[in-house]
Each structure stands twice: as structure tokens, then as C-alpha cells.
Amino acid sequence: MHKNIAVIRGDGIGPEIVEQALNVLNRVAELYGHTFIYTDVDMGGCAIDKWGDPLPEAQLQKCLASDSVLLGAVGGPKWNDVPGHLRPEKGLLRLRAGMGVYSNNRPAKIWPQLADASPLKPSIVAEDIDFIIVRELIGGIYFGEHKTEKGTATDVLQYSEAEIERIGRIGFETAQKRGKKLCSVEKSNVLDSSRLWKKVMHRLAEEYPDVTLSDMLVDNCAMQIVKNPAQFDVIVTENMFGDILSDEASMITGSIGMIPSSSLGATACGLYEPIHGSAPDIAGKDMANPIGTILSAAMMLRYSFDMAAEADAIEKAVSAYLDAGYRTADIAGSGQTPVGCRACGQLIVNYLTKE
Ligand code: NAD
């Protein structure tokens, strides 16, 4: 297969971690006979320095013309004092809006080799914990009317059936590519928007008979994520609930450097990036953990390019690297000599095999 990938290296550790993800993609291309063409895109602080704009229109157009976008991270102290509309994060917001991505998808996986890093009890971590939260990204209370009048503040929570249906479909389709279990999380005992949410999810379930749908109230879900996270495969939920639950879920894995994410909209073209920022404190020191970006590339193969075997191969290579005991500084135990960012990427490339 032939795929065009827009590559945003960004700022801080961005260029270092993206380089390693591209090395992994290149090895996948060799093993499986694909061609990945990369187009460099300037976004964030580096684009401000070069173009005076965190995402010039021509750079956005390169992303829109691609089959998917791989992003490192943007921002850093150098650009703290630029005017608000020119901040590096504005580039990211413009990119998400331009691509029309309305779904943010974050896996929460506890790698057995890193179980000690989880704040959960060993008996809970011993289970196979590997789920994904599909969060509606551009609707709900964050996008409703906000006002404060005469000492009373109001925030409007509103969802249309169409908005619920399109995120619901991403939930069902994600479940189809995984363990075929979807848990719809809402607060239908109190909120009208949640009752509509539940109704739409059940209507959609008839179109996806291979996926088992369950319902859970958001307060119960917050408890279940720490009590019995192994029960989940895919969770689909609205914007604010998803914001809170996905942060809770990333905490139980214990390492910010390991977590990938995707943002999807109506087309197969997605935005793939690690959940962490540009880590200016370790930038340029060959210390960053590139695994969150490497696993983001694996998500791109699975969810945008329908290359499940290739995505599995990357995840197995990461597992083999961890099994062998290698750790970057962020997850190394005391007394252990960490490997650098480049060595980590090279080792994962070496462990890549075609089944
Ligand atoms: P951060 O995620 O960059 O760093 C938090 C801590 O985690 C730091 O100690 C850092 O060294 C460590 N860390 C993060 N990623 C790591 C990795 N891959 N390997 C090893 N250690 C890692 O968060 P921050 O310090 O709050 O933000 C720094 C900059 O990043 C800010 O300018 C912020 O606006 C920006 N940011 C960008 C994005 C993005 O591009 N999507 C997201 C969050 C923050």
C-alpha cells in the first residue's frame, strides 16, 4: 500500500521522538512491502520562528492533503510571551478544527513489564488492562453558551442526535477493530442529554451486531476504572466526562511517555500524537521516551490504514523491548542505566518482525 503521511516534528523533544517513530514506520514498510511518503509540516513554535504564525494555511493544507498526520509535540518557554493568537497551541487547535476531528481516542494499557509504575494494587494490575476511551471532542458543555449574570453562572450542555451518532459510530467501529465490547458512559439518571445519548447508542447497536453494547453511569465508571479496569475494551462518552475519565485512565498506567492517542473525524485521515507535551526540560538530551509516538504510529496503521497486522507487529516489538529490560530514564528503576531516545527507537526497530 502507498500512504502519504504529514509529519509535524514540532518543538522540544518533538523532533527526537518523531524521528524514532519514522524509523519504525520505515522498517514496517520494508517488512510488509508498503510505501510511506512523508511530508514535513511546520507547526508550533518552530513555525512561529520561521513564518510568524503557528500554523500557516499552506502548512495546514499539506495535512489536509495527506492520508494521516503524525505529530510530536509543540510549545515551550521560548514562546510563552508571544501574543495569545500566535501561541504554539493555537496551531494545534487550528489543525484539529481544520481536519474536523470530533473524536479523541486514548488507550489505557498497563504493560505487565511496567506494572510497578501503576498506582493500582498489584492484584488489580495483574489482570490484562488494555482499553480505549473514545471522547467526543467538539460538543457538549465546553462548547455551549457560557455566561455569568447577576451572580449566577450558566454553562449550556447540549447534544444533537447527529453529534451523538457520529461519535457513537467511531465507538462501535473502534470496538470492531478490538475486543468488540463497547461501554457507553453517561448520566442518564439525571441529564436529558444523557438520555438522548443512551437512546442513540442503542439505536446504533442494531447496525453493529458483532459489538456488545453496555451502559454505565459516569460516577460508577470513575470507580470501575480503579476497581476493575480489566472489564473495559472501548468506552465511548461525551466531552467533559471523557476529559476527566481519560486523565484518570492515563494515571493508572503510570507513565506519560508511553501513551499514544488519535483524533478522528468523518474520514479515515486522522491525527496521531503522544499525550505528553514537548518536555523542554529534557529536549536535545537524547533522554525522551519515544514509545508514545511509536505507538501513535501503530494506531495510525490500525485505525486509518487498516493495517492491523503491522500495528500488532509494532506493539509486539515494544513489548519485546520492555521484556528485555530496556528502559528510558522516565521509567528506569533506581540503579538501572537508562537507554537514550535513539537507542530505544533502534532496539524497537531491531525487534520488529513479520509474523
Ligand atoms: P510535558 O508533558 O511536556 O512534560 C511533563 C513532564 O513529563 C516533564 O518532566 C517531562 O520531562 C516529562 N515527559 C513528557 N514526555 C516525556 C517523554 N516522552 N519521555 C520522558 N519524559 C517525558 O508537559 P509540560 O511540561 O506541562 O509542558 C511543556 C510544553 O509542552 C508546554 O509548552 C505545553 O504547552 C506543551 N504541551 C504540548 C502538548 C502538545 O503538543 N499536544 C501537550 C501538552 C503540553
Side-chain angles (χ1 to χ4, degrees):
M1 241 189 260
H2 187 112
K3 294 288 177 191
N4 293 307
I5 302 173
V7 176
I8 305 175
R9 293 165 201 266
D11 309 313
I13 59 169
E16 303 166 51
I17 53 180
V18 166
E19 198 57 39
Q20 299 316 315
L22 297 186
N23 290 342
V24 169
L25 282 174
N26 288 338
R27 182 72 184 130
V28 167
E30 271 171 27
L31 288 172
Y32 288 83
H34 301 307
T35 306
F36 298 135
I37 308 283
Y38 308 114
T39 304
D40 275 313
V41 172
D42 299 322
M43 188 179 92
C46 58
I48 298 173
D49 290 350
K50 193 165 164 189
W51 307 98
D53 183 332
L55 183 64
E57 183 61 26
Q59 303 297 313
L60 171 62
Q61 288 305 326
K62 289 199 244 177
C63 295
L64 300 184
S66 72
D67 293 312
S68 269
V69 181
L70 182 67
L71 163 66
V74 295
K78 182 177 173 194
W79 303 279
N80 275 355
D81 298 327
V82 297
H85 70 286
L86 277 184
R87 288 186 63 83
E89 301 76 19
K90 278 282 184 294
L92 191 51
L93 294 180
R94 218 184 287 161
L95 177 65
R96 287 180 181 149
M99 292 180 71
V101 286
Y102 49 77
S103 157
N104 183 252
N105 316 298
R106 254 202 219 181
K109 177 180 168 86
I110 299 190
W111 294 84
Q113 304 92 331
L114 302 180
D116 286 353
S118 173
L120 298 184
K121 273 200 235 163
S123 60
I124 296 173
V125 176
E127 305 277 327
D128 182 16
I129 297 166
D130 181 0
F131 62 98
I132 185 161
I133 297 183
V134 173
R135 164 191 170 194
E136 202 287 326
L137 201 57
I138 57 172
I141 197 162
Y142 294 170
F143 286 81
E145 188 191 358
H146 309 289
K147 65 174 183 199
T148 305
E149 267 174 12
K150 296 184 187 138
T152 300
T154 309
D155 300 286
V156 174
L157 166 51
Q158 183 176 304
Y159 270 109
S160 68
E161 284 201 31
E163 285 174 306
I164 299 170
E165 181 173 326
R166 65 185 189 177
I167 185 73
R169 288 194 185 282
I170 300 234
F172 280 100
E173 284 158 22
T174 303
Q176 278 181 323
K177 290 176 181 164
R178 294 178 43 103
K180 302 189 168 47
K181 271 171 39 184
L182 180 65
C183 179
S184 164
V185 171
E186 28 70 3
K187 187 75 183 166
S188 57
N189 54 341
V190 179
L191 301 174
D192 264 39
S193 56
S194 282
R195 282 190 280 275
L196 183 65
W197 179 279
K198 188 171 173 181
K199 192 178 109 190
V200 173
M201 291 296 158
H202 281 263
R203 194 184 72 218
L204 282 178
E206 292 170 18
E207 292 181 42
Y208 300 89
D210 52 334
V211 175
T212 306
L213 174 69
S214 60
D215 306 296
M216 192 175 279
L217 295 176
V218 62
D219 37 358
N220 185 23
C221 184
M223 292 193 286
Q224 295 299 327
I225 285 177
V226 289
K227 188 167 169 238
N228 178 17
Q231 70 185 287
F232 296 114
D233 177 25
V234 181
I235 290 172
V236 63
T237 191
E238 59 104 91
N239 199 345
M240 184 167 69
F241 298 162
D243 188 9
I244 298 165
L245 294 178
S246 61
D247 266 18
E248 183 191 6
S250 62
M251 267 314 295
I252 68 168
T253 69
S255 172
I256 192 177
M258 301 280 301
I259 308 176
S261 77
S262 72
S263 300
L264 291 164
T267 69
C269 178
L271 170 62
Y272 295 85
E273 57 180 315
I275 68 159
H276 59 75
S278 62
D281 51 336
I282 56 166
K285 297 183 179 164
D286 192 34
M287 279 174 72
N289 185 346
I291 294 180
T293 318
I294 291 170
L295 294 173
S296 299
M299 285 185 88
M300 174 186 291
L301 301 185
R302 187 182 305 282
Y303 294 108
S304 284
F305 300 167
D306 266 327
M307 297 181 184
E310 291 84 335
D312 286 347
I314 295 178
E315 286 163 8
K316 281 193 188 134
V318 169
S319 196
Y321 157 92
L322 293 172
D323 277 342
Y326 297 110
R327 304 286 185 265
T328 41
D330 56 318
I331 51 173
S334 58
Q336 185 176 11
T337 307
V339 295
C341 180
R342 279 193 295 272
C344 171
Q346 187 56 53
L347 284 158
I348 291 170
V349 166
N350 296 347
Y351 282 114
L352 257 173
T353 51
K354 184 175 176 183
E355 300 266 302

